[in-house]
Amino acid sequence: MIELDNLTKTFEGFTAVDSLKLRIETGEFFGLLGPNGAGKTTTIGMLSTLLLPTSGEIRIDGELLTRKRQDIKRKVSVITQEYSMRQDMDMDEIMEYQGRLYFMPVKQIRARTEELFEFAGLTDHRRKTVRKLSGGMKRKLMVCRALLTGPRILLLDEPTAGMDAISRRQMWNLLRQLNEQGLTILLTTHYIEEAQSLCSRVALMNGGRLNEIDTPAHLIRKLGAYAVDEMHTDGIHTRYFHERSQAIDYLSQVQGQVSLRDTTLEDVFVEQIGKRLS
């Protein structure tokens, strides 16, 4: 379980994260959504102890998280947006280097590496150096590296950024399997479809504060399960309806180019966050 209690981070008078109160249950797949500058990466930085809170607390399974608590820190592993790996190393070397940093026995490193490469579908590519890997393979390798020490919590900061559609779906399947095995996952992403597909709950964040926390399905139902898009000279205007019959009745009364579709979590994001930004 992850508990954030009034978590706050300021930089030279600017408040990046403002009194965040959040509880993520063990085994949950949780999404943190927001525009650039919302405070998502700063929150991940504090959870990984790369950044220290200005005030407030983080607790993991009831224990206070600090840089000195190595036993708690080992429960948490993070995958950043950047490819933070030596380009001249091959996959086995990346994994062995990571294991040695955590004082793992070489036999354990190699056995665990075999399991993870098989799980991620990387076995046939293990002799390639990092610079020769595709973007999708690099992301998968970062997941394997993060899982080497057997963490109970995985922090993912934009894990599919820059990946093509096929590689992104492969990563989704990989993350679903990890979550089904009991791993707690906290995801930040700009791909709202990704959060809708993967997360059991999401938090909408803006200006360092949480707007709302709920399941994607409930957030969509509250806005209206059906969306009617109307094409105008100044862009698309969308209306939302709770019943399909209501949406169809409205369609029959509107002239011009219109379309009916299911409402998405992206619609919720635009209505709650996007319109405030614009």
Side-chain angles (χ1 to χ4, degrees):
M1 182 195 305
I2 305 170
E3 294 174 284
L4 311 183
D5 186 12
N6 288 314
L7 192 66
T8 300
K9 181 64 179 178
T10 60
F11 298 96
E12 298 180 350
F14 170 72
T15 302
V17 174
D18 190 357
S19 304
L20 215 62
K21 293 182 71 70
L22 178 63
R23 174 169 168 160
I24 300 171
E25 300 295 338
T26 300
E28 190 170 12
F29 203 136
F30 193 93
L32 196 57
L33 308 179
N36 290 329
K40 306 184 302 297
T41 297
T42 301
T43 301
I44 293 289
M46 288 187 281
L47 282 164
S48 64
T49 72
L50 292 174
L51 295 174
L52 293 177
T54 303
S55 61
E57 294 180 344
I58 300 172
R59 293 186 178 274
I60 305 294
D61 296 332
E63 298 285 336
L64 184 64
L65 175 65
T66 68
R67 285 180 175 172
K68 295 181 179 180
R69 290 294 304 269
Q70 294 297 325
D71 57 327
I72 301 176
K73 288 174 63 177
R74 283 184 70 108
K75 295 181 179 182
V76 182
S77 196
V78 61
I79 299 175
T80 60
Q81 300 177 35
E82 296 79 18
Y83 296 124
S84 55
M85 298 179 291
R86 283 272 301 269
Q87 297 294 304
D88 58 339
M89 286 184 172
D90 65 28
M91 291 190 181
D92 283 299
E93 290 170 335
I94 291 290
M95 297 294 280
E96 185 159 335
Y97 180 72
Q98 180 75 0
R100 287 179 181 274
L101 288 176
Y102 286 85
F103 305 102
M104 293 175 64
V106 174
K107 285 186 177 180
Q108 183 182 358
I109 294 172
R110 292 176 179 171
R112 181 68 174 150
T113 296
E114 290 291 338
E115 294 174 7
L116 290 169
F117 282 179
E118 181 67 26
F119 173 69
L122 293 177
T123 303
D124 294 341
H125 305 279
R126 65 193 306 163
R127 298 305 177 193
K128 293 180 180 178
T129 58
V130 171
R131 65 167 51 94
K132 294 181 179 179
L133 299 177
S134 67
M137 288 182 186
K138 288 178 183 178
R139 292 291 181 189
K140 287 182 179 180
L141 178 56
M142 290 174 71
V143 170
C144 290
R145 184 181 64 174
L147 295 174
L148 182 65
T149 57
R152 294 169 59 180
I153 297 169
L154 186 61
L155 309 177
L156 301 169
D157 192 13
E158 304 287 344
T160 61
M163 293 175 66
D164 60 63
I166 295 174
S167 297
R168 185 177 298 125
R169 294 304 174 97
Q170 290 175 342
M171 179 63 78
W172 291 2
N173 290 334
L174 189 65
L175 295 176
R176 282 194 190 96
Q177 291 177 62
L178 291 171
N179 183 242
E180 287 169 359
Q181 293 172 11
L183 189 67
T184 304
I185 299 178
L186 173 59
L187 167 77
T188 77
T189 181
H190 282 121
Y191 298 113
I192 309 300
E193 176 194 4
E194 185 166 272
Q196 183 175 341
S197 176
L198 293 174
C199 298
S200 53
R201 285 193 305 153
V202 296
L204 301 180
M205 190 173 184
N206 190 30
R209 290 177 172 271
L210 292 180
N211 279 41
E212 190 168 7
I213 303 171
D214 212 331
T215 67
H218 193 218
L219 287 169
I220 289 169
R221 284 198 303 271
K222 286 202 297 183
L223 179 60
Y226 303 97
V228 173
D229 293 327
E230 302 176 47
M231 313 305 170
H232 294 268
T233 55
D234 62 342
I236 299 174
H237 296 187
T238 304
R239 292 176 179 266
Y240 301 97
F241 300 88
H242 293 287
E243 301 294 337
R244 185 178 180 86
S245 58
Q246 295 173 330
I248 292 173
D249 286 344
Y250 180 78
L251 274 172
S252 66
Q253 301 170 28
V254 178
Q255 295 182 347
Q257 189 176 355
V258 294
S259 62
L260 172 64
R261 60 177 174 82
D262 292 334
T263 302
T264 68
L265 186 60
E266 184 169 313
D267 292 310
V268 176
F269 181 85
V270 169
E271 290 295 316
Q272 288 207 22
I273 305 295
K275 289 188 175 180
R276 296 182 187 180
L277 295 176
S278 61

